[in-house]
Amino acid sequence: MQEDIKTLIDSLDDESLLELYNKIDTQITFLNNNIINIDEDKQEEK
Amino acid sequence: MNDNFITKRISINEDYINNYVLQQETGTKKVKEIFYKNAVNNRNNYINKELTLFNKYKKDVYMELIQRKNKLLPKDKTEEINKNKEQEEKAKNLFIYTSSIFPFDYKLRFNFLLSKVKEGMSLKELNKIIKEIIEIFNKADIELKPKDFGYTMFTYEFMNTYLSNINNNNFEEITLKKFNELFYACPTLILQLKYSFYNIIRKNQKQLETYINKLNKNQTEKETLNNYLQTRTKYEESYDKDEFYNLNSFLDKKKNITDYIDDSPTRIKYFNTFEPNNDFSKLKDEVKTTYHDSIIDLYNTLRTLKDFYRYEDICKAILKLYDERKDNTTAYNSKKKELDQENKKRETFYKEYLKATKKSLFSKPNKEKERLSKLHMNESFDKIVTLNNEICELELSNILNKKLNDASSLYDLFASSYQSYEYLEKQFYKLFEKETDFDLEKEFERYFYFIFSPYNFFLRKVNAKGGYDIATIVSEKYTLLNINLSKEDIVSDKIDSKIMDTSFIKKVYDVESSNITFKQINFIVKVNSIDPGEEIKFLITPEKEVI
């Protein structure tokens, strides 16, 4: 996978690399927002 | 950006997570709870794995962005630019030394130093200025001695102590003691010291002029002026086109990069402003080149014109003095005679003082005569100050009579104002003292930059007596160069807006002729605005990250 990302980075121009960074950042936010904390769910039910 | 394995993975993740079944509709409450808990755990595990992976991607991409940004960062050439500034300063001084426009006392900066000598100033500051003046005399091989300061008995007393203790460790205390001792008998001591220096400067004029002649390295006034204008243009261009400073003006948000990139509506609007058909894009390449040169020239001319508006009142006042020169000549001669007579009286009072304080075999000091001579001296000095203030304008009018004629240009008129530093000083205070950042020395510098500018064609062309309309002259010149500019656009209360328009276009040209592009600046600005989070920031050592 490491090789893949390196190859990908090298193939992108500055603008595309910035675009990729923003997509990754948005994906991280999406992933974080979708983690469910069951303990919090229970707390809310109470 | 084309699809790649990351964008594909993002798409798979979103699909997988959004469609992941977390709840079972059938079964008991307990069964449903167990199903939900397991599903959440499974999905959380999946997300955490993806988060680890994407945080790694983020770090890798960010590090690459930083590396690419660092490769683009321009070198800080401040040292080189400062050297250009020093060259300009040297060329300016050489021009001043060789030019007949400036009187000898202006050339040696005596006026600048003595204009700071004012009642109420600190003794420390006064001592410093006196030291600087003495050093200028020393450079001209003139050693000032206490006897040179016999302008009044008070100036002699003070300067005798000053010069005798100049290398004493307790110099400040000794001079302060002497100053306080004299101050009660002579409240105008500071002013008397100032006049005493004027007197010494006048007496040593010949030798000081010989010294100046040695400094001008046998160059003509024309050569040194051309050299000054060239070094000034070199410095200004090196600064305006410098990649480091230009980049920083976008990084510190003084300028907005999105306004400057190709096809930006703001950029298009500014470029169309001065194009007669309001469409710069339709111009042929060779016309675009001419447009480029005309706009740069216009920008510089408008800045000079703005300063013309600033100093226009001085121009009018000098013109009035020139017009009144005939009437003023009689008044000047009479006032000059009065001043000469008062100076003779001053010298007499000093001689009386010396006689009254002299001890000899045949006479003893006469305290009463000493007291009277001091009293008369102070009265005489006050009259000299009043007469000097009254003669200032008349003297300039008298000089203008010799320096100007009815065919003189505005440039000649402004240049002749240097004949009276005192007059210019008074005008600057009158017109600009209320400005919060007013500084006399900086004002003199700005005035010099305005008069001796590579862009002052309108000053040189226009006859001072002829009644002028500079805005029309300037707008006509640029209309001929196919630039859309009306007289109304550049009147004094509208000129700032046109300077701003030309300044924008000039900045585009400056950057485009340098070693950095707006595309690169845009990339650097964008990368700089990224906040990758503390964890990733921590991985970047200061050596790797240059912002």
Side-chain angles (χ1 to χ4, degrees):
Chain A
M1 193 55 75
Q2 177 59 31
E3 232 183 79
D4 284 338
I5 180 85
K6 206 178 171 319
T7 314
L8 173 63
I9 285 172
D10 289 346
S11 71
L12 297 175
D13 63 16
D14 294 346
E15 225 16 70
S16 306
L17 194 67
L18 265 167
E19 206 184 312
L20 178 65
Y21 178 87
N22 289 332
K23 280 192 174 164
I24 293 171
D25 201 39
T26 312
Q27 176 68 12
I28 289 172
T29 311
F30 169 78
L31 292 170
N32 275 320
N33 288 343
N34 277 286
I35 287 185
I36 297 171
N37 187 335
I38 289 182
D39 293 338
E40 270 177 19
D41 279 3
K42 280 181 183 169
Q43 203 65 35
E44 273 173 30
E45 274 174 34
K46 277 178 191 175
Chain B
M1 184 177 57
N2 294 328
D3 268 358
N4 56 58
F5 75 93
I6 291 182
T7 53
K8 278 179 191 157
R9 197 166 187 113
I10 287 171
S11 170
I12 293 166
N13 280 346
E14 285 174 359
D15 194 42
Y16 183 76
I17 291 165
N18 288 335
N19 296 309
Y20 200 94
V21 180
L22 293 171
Q23 271 158 343
Q24 182 178 271
E25 283 179 15
T26 55
T28 63
K29 192 184 172 193
K30 182 88 179 162
V31 168
K32 281 181 180 171
E33 269 178 22
I34 292 168
F35 183 90
Y36 177 72
K37 199 179 166 187
N38 286 339
V40 165
N41 274 339
N42 287 340
R43 201 181 80 162
N44 279 356
N45 284 341
Y46 176 85
I47 290 174
N48 280 327
K49 263 191 219 161
E50 289 303 302
L51 268 173
T52 310
L53 192 63
F54 272 86
N55 273 319
K56 197 189 162 326
Y57 291 158
K58 181 177 170 177
K59 190 197 89 185
D60 289 346
V61 174
Y62 182 72
M63 296 292 268
E64 175 66 15
L65 285 170
I66 292 294
Q67 269 186 30
R68 289 192 192 183
K69 183 196 84 169
N70 288 348
K71 270 185 200 164
L72 293 174
L73 287 177
K75 202 179 137 198
D76 180 355
K77 290 181 284 183
T78 305
E79 222 172 278
E80 202 179 301
I81 292 170
N82 286 346
K83 269 184 194 161
N84 288 341
K85 181 72 191 160
E86 279 168 27
Q87 289 296 324
E88 185 208 306
E89 205 54 36
K90 274 185 192 167
K92 177 186 164 190
N93 288 335
L94 194 57
F95 164 59
I96 292 174
Y97 290 145
T98 50
S99 170
S100 55
I101 291 169
F102 309 95
F104 82 102
D105 45 358
Y106 182 93
K107 291 181 187 208
L108 293 174
R109 295 181 52 79
F110 286 131
N111 306 106
F112 287 102
L113 293 167
L114 286 170
S115 73
K116 290 178 190 166
V117 177
K118 285 175 184 159
E119 278 175 347
M121 75 188 300
S122 76
L123 184 68
K124 203 176 170 184
E125 182 64 12
L126 175 68
N127 283 344
K128 200 176 140 227
I129 291 171
I130 292 176
K131 200 178 163 208
E132 281 181 57
I133 296 175
I134 290 173
E135 278 167 8
I136 299 172
F137 273 93
N138 287 345
K139 280 183 191 165
D141 280 336
I142 302 167
E143 194 194 340
L144 294 179
K145 296 195 171 117
K147 68 174 175 53
D148 296 314
F149 292 91
Y151 185 75
T152 69
M153 55 289 271
F154 307 108
T155 53
Y156 173 82
E157 276 280 308
F158 182 79
M159 287 309 294
N160 187 25
T161 306
Y162 186 103
L163 294 168
S164 315
N165 293 283
I166 204 158
N167 296 319
N168 193 313
N169 288 339
N170 298 322
F171 172 75
E172 294 291 339
E173 287 123 79
I174 294 168
T175 50
L176 181 63
K177 197 178 162 209
K178 180 51 78 179
F179 186 86
N180 287 336
E181 197 184 297
L182 292 166
F183 190 74
Y184 295 103
C186 175
T188 55
L189 178 58
I190 292 179
L191 214 51
Q192 290 194 19
L193 284 165
K194 181 175 181 163
Y195 274 65
S196 141
F197 273 106
Y198 281 141
N199 196 36
I200 294 170
I201 292 164
R202 244 191 322 269
K203 280 184 179 169
N204 289 281
Q205 182 169 348
K206 241 184 182 170
Q207 203 169 334
L208 290 167
E209 280 174 341
T210 311
Y211 166 64
I212 294 165
N213 289 339
K214 278 184 201 162
L215 295 172
N216 69 25
K217 295 174 185 167
N218 295 326
Q219 290 190 63
T220 65
E221 183 172 343
K222 199 177 169 191
E223 282 167 350
T224 56
L225 176 60
N226 284 339
N227 183 42
Y228 162 68
L229 296 177
Q230 275 168 19
T231 51
R232 174 170 156 181
T233 309
K234 187 182 169 191
Y235 162 70
E236 283 172 358
E237 277 186 9
S238 69
Y239 183 84
D240 290 347
K241 292 182 180 178
D242 183 72
E243 298 86 3
F244 181 80
Y245 287 111
N246 282 331
L247 171 66
N248 277 319
S249 67
F250 290 103
L251 287 176
D252 60 21
K253 296 189 169 66
K254 278 185 196 151
K255 289 186 167 62
N256 184 358
I257 183 63
T258 52
D259 291 340
Y260 286 81
I261 46 177
D262 279 343
D263 302 329
S264 137
T266 311
R267 179 172 160 154
I268 293 169
K269 189 196 89 184
Y270 278 116
F271 269 80
N272 289 343
T273 309
F274 297 100
E275 207 289 304
N277 297 314
N278 205 32
D279 194 352
F280 174 78
S281 65
K282 284 188 183 153
L283 294 181
K284 286 180 185 163
D285 282 351
E286 60 267 27
V287 182
K288 279 183 180 169
T289 311
T290 322
Y291 186 81
H292 162 278
D293 296 344
S294 305
I295 290 292
I296 304 251
D297 197 63
L298 175 62
Y299 165 76
N300 289 312
T301 304
L302 292 183
R303 283 172 65 214
T304 314
L305 181 58
K306 185 180 160 75
D307 275 342
F308 172 76
Y309 291 140
R310 182 174 178 82
Y311 299 121
E312 198 174 5
D313 282 346
I314 294 180
C315 170
K316 286 176 184 166
I318 295 173
L319 196 57
K320 190 169 173 275
L321 284 180
Y322 172 72
D323 286 340
E324 292 167 350
R325 64 195 182 280
K326 276 175 191 151
D327 296 338
N328 286 345
T329 306
T330 323
Y332 170 74
N333 288 337
S334 136
K335 203 58 82 181
K336 178 86 176 54
K337 204 173 161 191
E338 235 180 295
L339 187 61
D340 289 345
Q341 278 168 354
E342 201 55 53
N343 268 316
K344 270 181 193 150
K345 278 189 196 169
R346 175 184 56 79
E347 282 168 9
T348 310
F349 296 137
Y350 188 59
K351 278 177 196 157
E352 281 174 7
Y353 166 81
L354 290 177
K355 208 173 155 192
T357 51
K358 195 178 172 189
K359 272 188 209 168
S360 74
L361 275 172
F362 311 103
S363 64
K364 57 179 184 176
N366 185 330
K367 284 278 167 199
E368 183 53 21
K369 279 191 176 169
E370 180 190 337
R371 196 188 64 80
L372 268 174
S373 61
K374 283 182 175 175
L375 197 71
H376 288 147
M377 180 61 93
N378 279 337
E379 285 169 359
S380 174
F381 179 72
D382 289 345
K383 278 184 197 161
I384 290 172
V385 173
T386 311
L387 285 166
N388 213 64
N389 285 333
E390 288 168 356
I391 210 169
C392 175
E393 283 195 4
L394 297 172
E395 191 175 23
L396 180 59
S397 184
N398 194 45
I399 296 170
L400 295 177
N401 191 21
K402 292 167 197 158
K403 289 259 171 192
L404 298 178
N405 57 53
D406 286 354
S408 296
S409 65
L410 282 174
Y411 173 83
D412 298 327
L413 190 94
F414 277 114
S416 66
S417 66
Y418 280 101
Q419 291 302 317
S420 177
Y421 179 94
E422 256 181 304
Y423 178 78
L424 266 183
E425 184 185 2
K426 276 183 190 168
Q427 289 289 329
F428 288 155
Y429 271 113
K430 191 175 113 189
L431 294 166
F432 313 120
E433 197 182 11
K434 282 181 188 159
E435 292 177 6
T436 46
D437 54 352
F438 175 73
D439 178 288
L440 184 69
E441 204 161 340
K442 281 188 185 150
E443 198 60 53
F444 265 99
E445 225 165 88
R446 185 171 176 175
Y447 191 66
F448 181 94
Y449 261 65
F450 155 67
I451 300 173
F452 306 104
S453 159
Y455 313 101
N456 64 0
F457 70 94
F458 57 87
L459 290 185
R460 290 182 179 270
K461 278 188 173 178
V462 176
N463 175 259
K465 284 277 290 167
Y468 47 79
D469 184 358
I470 303 294
T472 303
I473 294 166
V474 171
S475 67
E476 276 174 1
K477 176 190 167 178
Y478 289 95
T479 307
L480 283 172
L481 293 168
N482 223 15
I483 294 289
N484 180 28
L485 186 76
S486 73
K487 176 200 161 182
E488 288 73 26
D489 288 337
I490 51 171
V491 290
S492 79
D493 56 343
K494 283 192 182 157
I495 195 166
D496 282 342
S497 153
K498 286 294 156 196
I499 291 178
M500 209 177 81
D501 295 349
T502 48
S503 157
F504 182 96
I505 304 173
K506 184 177 179 293
K507 190 47 69 192
V508 171
Y509 289 142
D510 284 341
V511 171
E512 284 181 348
S513 62
S514 75
N515 290 322
I516 198 164
T517 64
F518 283 116
K519 201 176 165 193
Q520 289 169 332
I521 293 175
N522 191 27
F523 175 72
I524 295 168
V525 169
K526 277 184 180 169
V527 174
N528 246 34
S529 68
I530 293 174
D531 180 5
E534 290 305 316
E535 246 172 73
I536 295 179
K537 266 192 205 162
F538 181 75
L539 295 169
I540 300 164
T541 59
E543 286 80 25
K544 284 179 191 166
E545 170 63 317
V546 185
I547 295 177

